[in-house]
Amino acid sequence: MRKMLAAVSRVLSGAAQKPASRVLVGSRNFANDATFEIKKCDLHRLEEGPPVTTVLTREDGLRYYRMMQTVRRMELKADQLYKQKIIRGFCHLCDGQEACCVGMEAGINPTDHLITAYRAHGFTFTRGLSVREILAELTGRRGGCAKGKGGSMHMYAKNFYGGNGIVGAQGQIFEAYNMAALWKLPCIFICENNRYGMGTSVERAAASTDYYKRGDFIPGMRVDGMDVLCVREATKFAAAHCRAGKGPILMELQTYRYHGHSMSDPGVSYRTREEIQEVRSKSDPIMLLKDRMVNSNLASVEELKEIDVEVRKEIEDAAQFATADPEPPLEELGYHIYSNEPPFEVRGANQWIKFKSIS
């Protein structure tokens, strides 16, 4: 009898040791969608702006959460690889600004064209490239999205032209504003205002920090860039404005970067650690979405933790590929310089070695 009781006890204890989160997730009924209030945008030359309420479906919420978490973990892995001297050269990280790239992609179509500057990793991912291709590009490997020749500043995808290694080189901005306004071009100009230009705060650099008004005759909006839903709705509004033939529009996304300007910048000489921590604790875009979803029964904490585990594994697998994949051979140094041109020779530092360009 004692043996039988002991056997039953072992069976019951074994059942109790099964992960409770999986049982809960399987048996719980989640809401299909929920309505949220979002921050009203400041407007310039617009009679009305984006809505102040929006509906988030469970499916979209889980997708946004996974995308933002992937960008966050990818940037933290890039930080680690850079400090290990596996990533070399320049490296500009966008952790803290995930709501910008994810929210913008949610508000436009894959067929729309996107151009960005050098803090481009997040946009490269949301435009459809894999973490493997991005990390392999950062480590200069053949499997990178630019065959290992572009690095942090020069990543490209279908309908994505970015980034660009020189500040402002993606367009002399005021001339571009003027031309777009004159020709009524369907163009959304976006300023990701992360409060610092390199190491200088916007208050020290600009007499007017109302960047959404800088287009002059171009309508503008100032948007909460830490809220993925706010960015999504503002982008939808801006895209509809352009598609209706009303010409260009300007969006200022008020956001924040957790890292310094680049990997050579510790990011704490011109701002305090307390300032960074305050933003992390009160305005983190991933935390804000997580709280909304859990509090509205769109997801459970356990379910989101499972996504976190899956994302971490994806990042680790991508990092392994990015460190094991071979570098491009030296003879390919001159490849892909021009397209649809006859091959020509490029002389290197050694005058006896010549490289042919292949489109």
Side-chain angles (χ1 to χ4, degrees):
M1 188 67 175
R2 287 180 181 174
K3 289 181 179 178
M4 185 180 294
L5 289 173
V8 172
S9 175
R10 283 196 297 271
V11 171
L12 291 174
S13 65
Q17 289 170 4
K18 290 182 180 179
S21 61
R22 294 183 183 275
V23 177
L24 262 173
V25 171
S27 62
R28 180 170 171 179
N29 292 321
F30 292 108
N32 290 324
D33 56 61
T35 301
F36 298 100
E37 292 185 0
I38 55 177
K39 186 177 178 180
K40 184 179 180 181
C41 296
D42 296 321
L43 304 178
H44 170 66
R45 288 185 173 271
L46 287 168
E47 293 183 3
E48 61 178 2
V52 293
T53 62
T54 186
V55 175
L56 175 66
T57 65
R58 168 175 157 78
E59 182 183 359
D60 283 344
L62 291 173
R63 183 160 52 91
Y64 301 159
Y65 182 84
R66 183 182 290 273
M67 291 177 75
M68 288 199 291
Q69 196 67 274
T70 300
V71 173
R72 174 72 55 86
R73 292 291 166 187
M74 179 177 69
E75 295 297 68
L76 294 177
K77 178 55 69 173
D79 171 86
Q80 182 184 17
L81 293 173
Y82 193 96
K83 288 172 180 172
Q84 293 172 347
K85 297 186 178 180
I86 297 173
I87 293 175
R88 311 301 288 264
F90 294 101
C91 186
H92 300 84
L93 305 180
C94 68
D95 49 317
Q97 300 182 202
E98 295 88 356
C100 296
C101 56
V102 174
M104 285 169 54
E105 189 63 37
I108 58 175
N109 301 325
T111 51
D112 293 324
H113 298 260
L114 194 151
I115 306 170
T116 188
Y118 50 75
R119 207 175 299 280
H121 307 165
F123 288 103
T124 309
F125 174 73
T126 57
R127 283 270 87 181
L129 289 186
S130 68
V131 177
R132 279 166 60 111
E133 291 172 292
I134 296 169
L135 288 183
E137 187 57 41
L138 287 171
T139 57
R141 308 305 170 107
R142 296 180 71 174
C145 57
K147 312 297 184 188
K149 299 171 187 173
S152 177
M153 294 189 186
H154 305 286
M155 295 187 177
Y156 309 93
K158 186 174 177 59
N159 299 328
F160 173 64
Y161 313 90
N164 198 299
I166 301 174
V167 178
Q170 61 270 26
Q172 298 298 324
I173 193 66
F174 293 106
E175 287 89 338
Y177 284 165
N178 185 61
M179 188 176 293
L182 285 172
W183 293 353
K184 288 188 179 264
L185 299 180
C187 180
I188 305 172
F189 293 100
I190 294 174
C191 168
E192 284 184 276
N193 179 7
N194 59 28
R195 293 167 49 178
Y196 293 94
M198 294 191 175
T200 306
S201 67
V202 293
E203 292 82 9
R204 292 179 56 208
S208 170
T209 57
D210 292 335
Y211 296 107
Y212 70 108
K213 296 180 180 178
R214 294 285 189 91
D216 195 5
F217 283 96
I218 296 178
M221 300 182 291
R222 181 155 56 194
V223 184
D224 182 358
M226 301 300 274
D227 182 351
V228 67
L229 299 183
C230 207
V231 176
R232 182 188 71 177
E233 293 307 312
T235 306
K236 284 182 178 179
F237 178 90
H241 175 96
C242 290
R243 297 189 209 283
K246 297 179 181 178
I249 192 168
L250 172 59
M251 291 203 307
E252 176 191 344
L253 306 182
Q254 290 193 315
T255 184
Y256 196 84
R257 56 171 164 81
Y258 293 157
H259 269 85
H261 168 71
S262 67
M263 289 303 298
S264 60
D265 170 20
V268 291
S269 58
Y270 48 85
R271 59 182 182 177
T272 63
R273 295 181 190 275
E274 289 75 23
E275 176 185 303
I276 303 169
Q277 188 54 42
E278 184 179 15
V279 175
R280 283 182 178 273
S281 62
K282 294 181 180 179
S283 306
D284 183 79
I286 299 175
M287 178 196 71
L288 290 176
L289 179 62
K290 178 180 179 180
D291 289 347
R292 274 177 169 160
M293 295 185 68
V294 171
N295 294 337
S296 301
N297 195 34
L298 291 176
S300 67
V301 172
E302 294 80 11
E303 185 178 22
L304 297 178
K305 282 182 178 177
E306 286 187 11
I307 292 176
D308 295 346
V309 171
E310 292 168 4
V311 167
R312 284 193 178 114
K313 185 180 185 307
E314 180 188 359
I315 300 299
E316 288 302 324
D317 291 346
Q320 271 195 326
F321 171 79
T323 52
D325 194 48
E327 295 180 353
L330 188 62
E331 60 267 20
E332 293 185 9
L333 184 63
Y335 284 17
H336 310 111
I337 293 177
Y338 295 100
S339 65
N340 301 323
E341 292 287 341
F344 64 96
E345 294 180 334
V346 179
R347 192 181 72 177
N350 186 327
Q351 62 179 327
W352 291 280
I353 299 177
K354 294 184 178 180
F355 305 98
K356 286 188 175 180
S357 172
I358 297 179
S359 299

